[in-house]
Amino acid sequence: MQDTILTAILMVTSLEIICLGGMAVEDSQCQRFEHPIVTSEELAPWLHVFRSESAVDFSQITFDPRQKELIVGARNYLFRLHSENLSLIQGVEWRCDETTIKACYSKGKSTEECQNYIRVLLIGGDRLFACGTNAFTPICTNRTLSNLEETHDQISGMARCPYSPQHNSTALLASTGELYAATVMDFPGRDPAIYRSLGILPPLRTAQYNSKWLNEPNFVSSYDIGNFIYFFFRENAVEHDCGKVVFSRAARVCKNDIGGRFLLEDTWTTFMKARLNCSHPGEIPFYYNELQSTFFLPELELVYGIFTTNVNSVAVSAVCVFNMTAIIQVFSGQFKYQENSRSAWLPYPNPNPNFQCGTMDQGLYLNLTERNLQDAQKFILMHEVIQPITPVPYFMEDNSRFSHVVVDVVQGKEMLFHIIYLATGKFFLYF
């Protein structure tokens, strides 16, 4: 199956039925350990297929619930499709201009790299906010959702969209208009950041060139939950002293954070991160360290995650499920702190264990003291690890690397059933 095809269900490799949300999860009838494999050939009679001869790298997809349409981003193209049968409504070409392409070549990039790869598609009201790599000169546009040809404005994509099509990123639009993006800020890809722009609140970012904040991260997903924006990613673990190890993280910032004064100016004062654990327990636990995809069920406050081993290791995958209550609890606990580069990482009491997002008075936090800012600069990593709701992953598969997860909740006769769809390869899922 080529990436020039978008289908209604792509590479569904396994399905598991589990029961959560207080629905007698210990019931043996609830847990099914048979995981049927479904090939694309077997699904063919029920699949709808969209093809475009000139489009490759279908990289982003979002749903317009009002019109029941899909908005799809491919290399150099945007498409509007009917959600029921994937028939084409509108296709818009969005290529780089010749000057930008020549500048990309002059920087040593290839023809494949010097294209416009769509990496951000966000719906806000009747507008579509779309960003592309634009031959390593990222740009963003606001378009009319019902007519993608109609462009209202064009702004720089720096800090909103990656430069390279190889870099992972995530972005969301808050209801108040702010754009929260996690991406790289520069051409070489050495300055990753979680960045807020647009809207009425001041732009903020994570500290620059500080590995204790972000250490070569691969961003996976982001969610607007309560007073916080949560980010999920994997990164090189600074707290691991014996060689290079990747850990998966959950991080959060307050939506009404306005940055510091003199100290942490234009920088988050509420940024915290914690490790996510997905492992098979035992005397020597087997860790699935690298988060690949998440799916959030807001009605049950559950986060499903796909975790894999490193690409240089044996190929195995697992699905772990986390409760938002457990995540919040870890963020209320102790910090893990290192006094200097030669010191051990040790637990440190949380100076504000019942953390709440601050209140603003005439543009300033009432509790934005120098001590608070010093603490915010030092205490980033939580000491405790976020544990899944069950000690054993819900699903494990050898010789596979899953890339995407989607979960559907179905009401049974006596309980809720969670249907987990898993996919492999660089394909997007639609159910």
Side-chain angles (χ1 to χ4, degrees), residues 147-346:
N147 180 12
L148 300 181
E149 289 274 10
E150 190 175 317
T151 301
H152 297 273
D153 53 38
Q154 179 174 297
I155 60 175
S156 169
M158 188 183 73
R160 302 178 177 106
C161 174
Y163 285 70
S164 168
Q166 303 304 318
H167 287 148
N168 292 335
S169 66
T170 179
L172 65 82
L173 276 172
S175 58
T176 48
E178 287 77 27
L179 174 72
Y180 294 83
T183 186
V184 292
M185 302 271 285
D186 60 344
F187 179 88
R190 298 186 188 129
D191 183 21
I194 291 174
Y195 183 75
R196 182 179 69 196
S197 61
L198 309 180
I200 60 173
L201 293 173
L204 294 180
R205 60 159 294 164
T206 45
Q208 190 174 32
Y209 305 129
N210 188 325
S211 61
K212 290 186 178 180
W213 286 59
L214 293 170
N215 190 23
E216 298 182 40
N218 273 280
F219 299 110
V220 172
S221 58
S222 51
Y223 302 102
D224 185 342
I225 305 174
N227 294 324
F228 301 94
I229 303 294
Y230 285 85
F231 297 88
F232 293 85
F233 58 97
R234 60 187 187 273
E235 65 172 352
N236 293 338
V238 292
E239 72 270 31
H240 189 82
D241 298 325
C242 301
K244 183 177 178 180
V245 174
V246 173
F247 284 168
S248 296
R249 308 286 197 196
R252 74 179 190 186
V253 293
C254 282
K255 287 190 285 190
N256 64 355
D257 193 332
I258 60 169
R261 290 173 292 176
F262 306 112
L263 188 62
L264 291 181
E265 191 170 0
D266 301 324
T267 305
W268 297 108
T269 66
T270 58
F271 178 75
M272 302 176 181
K273 66 180 181 181
R275 181 185 174 187
L276 291 164
N277 174 44
C278 183
S279 61
H280 192 284
E283 186 175 347
I284 303 178
F286 184 88
Y287 289 96
Y288 303 85
N289 276 331
E290 302 203 8
L291 181 67
Q292 303 295 332
S293 174
T294 67
F295 188 84
F296 179 52
L297 285 176
E299 62 273 19
L300 297 176
E301 294 193 330
L302 294 176
V303 178
Y304 283 78
I306 290 177
F307 295 78
T308 66
T309 52
N310 185 274
V311 291
N312 295 321
S313 177
V314 59
V316 290
S317 301
V319 176
C320 284
V321 187
F322 302 88
N323 193 304
M324 283 304 302
T325 302
I327 295 176
I328 293 169
Q329 184 176 349
V330 168
F331 281 119
S332 299
Q334 292 182 309
F335 287 94
K336 189 186 291 287
Y337 179 63
Q338 185 186 40
E339 186 68 37
N340 58 61
S341 60
R342 290 174 299 214
S343 302
W345 288 85
L346 299 172

Side-chain angles (χ1 to χ4, degrees), residues 9 12 124 128 195 203 287 329 360 367 376 391:
I9 303 178
V12 178
L128 176 72
Y195 183 75
Y287 289 96
Q329 184 176 349
M360 288 185 289
N367 60 347

Side-chain angles (χ1 to χ4, degrees), residues 6-8 50 60-65 67-73 78-90 121 123 128 145 148 429-431:
L6 183 76
T7 63
F50 170 72
Q60 295 294 318
I61 186 169
T62 190
F63 178 58
D64 178 7
Q67 302 298 323
K68 295 184 179 180
E69 296 175 359
L70 293 176
I71 310 298
V72 179
L78 293 171
F79 297 103
R80 287 170 55 219
L81 309 176
H82 288 290
S83 61
E84 291 185 356
N85 56 15
L86 300 188
S87 60
L88 178 65
I89 302 172
Q90 184 183 25
L121 285 181
I123 293 176
L128 176 72
L145 195 54
L148 300 181
L429 302 176
Y430 168 60
F431 302 97

